[in-house]
Amino acid sequence: MQNSQSSSKRFLDIIVELQSLIKEQRIQYGDKLPSERHLAEKLQVSRTAVREALRSMELLGLIETKRGEGTFLSDFKKHQLVEVLSTFIMQQARSVQDVVETRMIHERAAITAVTEQPELLLLPVWKGMKSKLTEEDAVFLREDMVRETIIATENRLSLKIWFLLKQYSGVSFDVAITEKEEIAIVSELLDEMMKGNTKQALACYEQWMNRVEGERREIE
């Protein structure tokens, strides 16, 4: 579990250091945050790591990005989820597996919601993803499949929680689906979802997650 734990702690460290930086520089609600480049240099991490941390903070409503203007601080007192989850991860021996199982609850719920609502089955996103999945030069990430499914349910809270749980679960969702076996599984998942077959879609999902989770367990 060393790699998954170190990845989670690195993400946690960036969040904590960002909060400390905000306090040190006395950045108030509505104030603009330093640029990604400045934060990366200050925290001595990559800009990608800073971007991921900021993305999760934005999804939780901790910060707000205004196009062409920058990133601004929101009211931290109204959002305690980062602190609660961070404390849980740090203190619980079984925490990563608990986070994984909680993340999967949101994923199953989204698939079920889509397959049980006829109007959601007609959304063009499913055919679009299936086409992209099989295109030779297209890049289709694991995250794309899950994210779009949750977005389709229009449950913004579930989406925000899922993004945060994804960061802590030690699973690589930001990799492209390229292997034939995984492509076949996800393709079948999309087919069953478009048919409204909840049971079969969830079975495909479980098969997919067993494969994805297997990669994490190999690292442990």
Side-chain angles (χ1 to χ4, degrees):
M1 187 184 289
Q2 184 176 356
N3 283 5
S4 59
Q5 283 183 331
S6 62
S7 177
S8 298
K9 288 182 179 179
R10 183 166 60 252
F11 177 75
L12 284 168
D13 289 342
I14 295 173
I15 294 292
V16 171
E17 290 176 9
L18 280 171
Q19 290 176 326
S20 297
L21 184 65
I22 287 169
K23 291 179 181 179
E24 289 173 5
Q25 298 189 4
R26 297 183 179 181
I27 299 174
Q28 302 297 317
Y29 168 67
D31 289 348
K32 186 176 180 179
L33 269 63
S35 66
E36 286 182 5
R37 181 181 60 79
H38 177 84
L39 290 173
E41 292 175 355
K42 182 73 175 179
L43 303 180
Q44 297 185 332
V45 296
S46 69
R47 289 185 64 175
T48 299
V50 169
R51 190 176 299 115
E52 282 297 309
L54 290 175
R55 182 184 186 190
S56 293
M57 292 174 70
E58 182 176 14
L59 286 166
L60 288 168
L62 302 174
I63 59 176
E64 178 185 5
T65 299
K66 298 179 181 180
R67 189 171 183 179
E69 298 183 37
T71 303
F72 298 81
L73 183 66
S74 296
D75 189 352
F76 270 87
K77 295 180 180 179
K78 296 180 181 179
H79 305 280
Q80 300 298 322
L81 186 55
V82 168
E83 182 178 349
V84 171
L85 188 54
S86 299
T87 302
F88 176 78
I89 288 288
M90 292 295 195
Q91 294 180 353
Q92 302 293 323
R94 192 178 177 274
S95 58
V96 172
Q97 187 57 38
D98 288 340
V99 169
V100 169
E101 292 174 3
T102 305
R103 191 205 78 228
M104 293 175 70
I105 288 173
H106 286 269
E107 294 166 357
R108 293 189 190 98
I111 292 172
T112 300
V114 168
T115 55
E116 292 183 351
Q117 298 183 55
E119 64 274 18
L120 298 185
L121 302 179
L122 300 177
L123 292 174
V125 64
W126 316 124
K127 290 184 178 179
M129 285 198 292
K130 186 173 174 63
S131 176
K132 189 174 182 181
L133 184 63
T134 55
E135 288 178 8
E136 185 175 347
D137 297 327
V139 178
F140 187 85
L141 304 180
R142 288 170 174 170
E143 178 180 313
D144 296 338
M145 176 65 206
V146 182
R147 184 191 65 248
E148 293 302 325
T149 302
I150 298 177
I151 287 176
T153 69
E154 298 185 346
N155 189 328
R156 293 177 58 84
L157 178 59
S158 181
L159 180 64
K160 290 181 178 182
I161 293 173
W162 180 81
F163 266 111
L164 187 60
L165 293 172
K166 173 178 72 73
Q167 295 284 358
Y168 291 96
S169 63
V171 174
S172 297
F173 272 95
D174 57 348
V175 299
I177 300 174
T178 57
E179 296 186 11
K180 290 183 179 180
E181 184 178 347
E182 186 171 6
I183 289 175
I185 294 172
V186 177
S187 180
E188 184 178 359
L189 170 57
L190 284 166
D191 286 339
E192 297 300 341
M193 286 175 60
M194 286 187 284
K195 294 175 184 176
N197 295 332
T198 304
K199 185 176 180 179
Q200 292 88 336
L202 288 174
C204 291
Y205 164 79
E206 296 297 337
Q207 184 182 2
W208 184 33
M209 283 301 108
N210 284 338
R211 179 185 179 87
V212 172
E213 282 296 311
E215 294 178 5
R216 179 177 65 85
R217 288 190 290 268
E218 287 177 2
I219 297 175
E220 295 177 358

